[in-house]
């Protein structure tokens, strides 16, 4: 059995499917998605529904899933142009919705709105009830802590259960710093494309200072990556133009 980690698919459905073919998953394998499967790209709902229908997939929440849930839950009576415009009377919801739209949520909203009400409810229920804020994997004496963005408000003495959801999905990790004193504890994240971390700016999984960063900026013209915990092997699919 192997664990494959994928991050920040952002609606890149074609690249996502090709990456799964390249990995050649078995029924014994597990795929962990490090959040942000939606928004920005052209097929966010298609990606999300595919992940939902795979029993050997674990979908960790990212900040884009949080923005989607925050914006859509209050609108679930009926998502129409009128209901969206009515947000102007609710400042908190208005700004939450605007923040989502400003961060690439428009295509996700359009595709979500075209679904039957039951499908919409199933998606929001899945995100709310079945998607954790973090996961841990133990392998060969090592501990891998998997979150979308990292561990905001970090303390080495802090238990994972003591962090708020926002600590896992927001903020930017300091990748020049090793967070835990033990060489056997690794922090595995997405959220920040490796092009902003690596000195060579290449879309290659970053593995320094006990960090493993999977987001290779596919939706921005980079690559979609998968990293295998057990072997350290990486798999890539370049962005289709």
């Amino acid at each position: 059995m192997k664990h494959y980690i994928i991050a920040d698919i952002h609606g890149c459905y074609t690249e996502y499917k090709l990456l799964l073919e390249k990995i050649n998953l078995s029924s014994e394998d597990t795929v962990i998605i490090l959040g942000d499967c939606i928004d920005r790209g052209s097929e966010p709902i298609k990606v999300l529904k595919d992940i939902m229908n795979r029993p050997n997939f674990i979908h960790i929440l990212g900040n884009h899933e949080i923005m989607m849930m925050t914006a859509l839950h209050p609108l679930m009576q009926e998502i129409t142009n009128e209901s969206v415009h009515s947000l102007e009377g609710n400042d908190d919801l208005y700004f939450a919705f605007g923040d989502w739209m400003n961060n690439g949520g428009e295509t996700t909203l359009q595709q979500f709105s075209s679904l039957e009400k039951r499908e919409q409810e199933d998606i929001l229920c899945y995100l709310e009830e079945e998607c954790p804020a973090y996961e841990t994997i133990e392998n060969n004496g090592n501990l891998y802590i998997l979150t979308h963005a990292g561990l905001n408000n970090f303390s080495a003495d802090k238990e994972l259960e003591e962090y708020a959801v926002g600590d896992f999905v927001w903020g930017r990790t300091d990748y020049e710093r090793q967070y835990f004193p033990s060489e056997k504890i690794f922090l595995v994240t997405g959220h920040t494309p490796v092009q902003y971390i690596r000195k060579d700016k290449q879309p290659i999984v970053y593995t320094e200072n006990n960090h493993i960063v999977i987001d290779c900026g596919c939706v921005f013209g980079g690559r979609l990556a998968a990293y295998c915990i057990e072997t350290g092997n990486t798999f890539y699919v370049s962005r289709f133009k």
Side-chain angles (χ1 to χ4, degrees):
M1 183 185 78
K2 296 183 177 65
H3 296 84
Y4 295 93
I5 319 300
I6 303 173
D8 297 80
I9 301 167
H10 278 305
C12 296
Y13 182 77
T14 299
E15 294 84 352
Y16 159 73
K17 294 291 283 187
L18 287 172
L19 184 61
L20 295 184
E21 290 178 13
K22 185 171 283 193
I23 294 170
N24 192 24
L25 294 171
S26 78
S27 59
E28 301 294 318
D29 296 329
T30 299
V31 173
I32 300 97
I33 307 294
L34 296 185
D36 284 8
C37 75
I38 56 168
D39 297 346
R40 302 195 190 281
S42 61
E43 296 286 353
I45 294 299
K46 204 169 180 180
V47 172
L48 178 54
K49 288 173 66 176
D50 186 86
I51 293 169
M52 288 173 59
N53 290 325
R54 293 179 182 266
N56 58 334
F57 278 43
I58 298 170
H59 183 183
I60 291 174
L61 289 173
N63 59 304
H64 283 261
E65 284 86 1
I66 295 292
M67 287 189 287
M68 177 183 178
M69 287 190 288
T70 302
L72 289 182
H73 266 303
L75 298 176
M76 277 302 293
Q77 292 297 333
E78 185 179 9
I79 301 174
T80 64
N81 288 333
E82 290 74 19
S83 66
V84 170
H85 286 304
S86 73
L87 295 175
E88 295 182 14
N90 183 328
D91 286 348
D92 289 341
L93 185 53
Y94 179 76
F95 285 115
F97 190 85
D99 188 41
W100 184 36
M101 292 299 100
N102 289 334
N103 282 279
E106 184 175 354
T107 302
T108 305
L109 175 64
Q110 290 173 349
Q111 294 176 2
F112 183 87
S113 300
S114 70
L115 301 175
E116 297 292 332
K117 181 72 175 295
R118 181 58 182 271
E119 281 191 287
Q120 294 177 349
E121 292 173 342
D122 287 346
I123 286 174
L124 291 181
C125 182
Y126 167 78
L127 292 175
E128 188 172 81
E129 298 183 7
E130 298 188 39
C131 297
Y134 70 91
E135 281 286 326
T136 60
I137 297 173
E138 294 185 26
N139 179 67
N140 197 29
N142 295 323
L143 175 65
Y144 299 85
I145 300 172
L146 284 63
T147 82
H148 175 63
L151 295 172
N152 205 22
N153 297 308
F154 174 78
S155 169
D157 299 324
K158 204 172 183 178
E159 298 293 332
L160 291 175
E161 294 79 7
E162 297 179 69
Y163 290 92
V165 171
D167 292 328
F168 297 112
V169 303
W170 294 103
R172 298 292 175 183
T173 298
D174 181 358
Y175 292 107
E176 295 185 358
R177 168 191 178 192
Q178 181 173 318
Y179 276 46
F180 295 94
S182 172
E183 296 290 338
K184 290 185 172 293
I185 302 178
F186 296 83
L187 186 57
V188 187
T189 58
H191 189 54
T192 301
V194 294
Q195 293 91 325
Y196 294 103
I197 304 168
R198 297 178 58 93
K199 293 180 180 178
D200 61 11
K201 310 295 183 185
Q202 294 301 305
I204 300 170
V205 168
Y206 178 86
T207 56
E208 300 288 342
N209 303 317
N210 280 52
H211 292 286
I212 303 172
V213 188
I214 312 295
D215 181 6
C216 292
C218 182
V219 77
F220 302 113
R223 299 195 286 183
L224 193 63
Y227 178 89
C228 180
I229 291 290
E230 286 74 16
T231 65
N233 290 339
T234 54
F235 304 81
Y236 298 99
V237 170
S238 295
R239 173 73 161 132
F240 280 79
K241 303 299 182 183

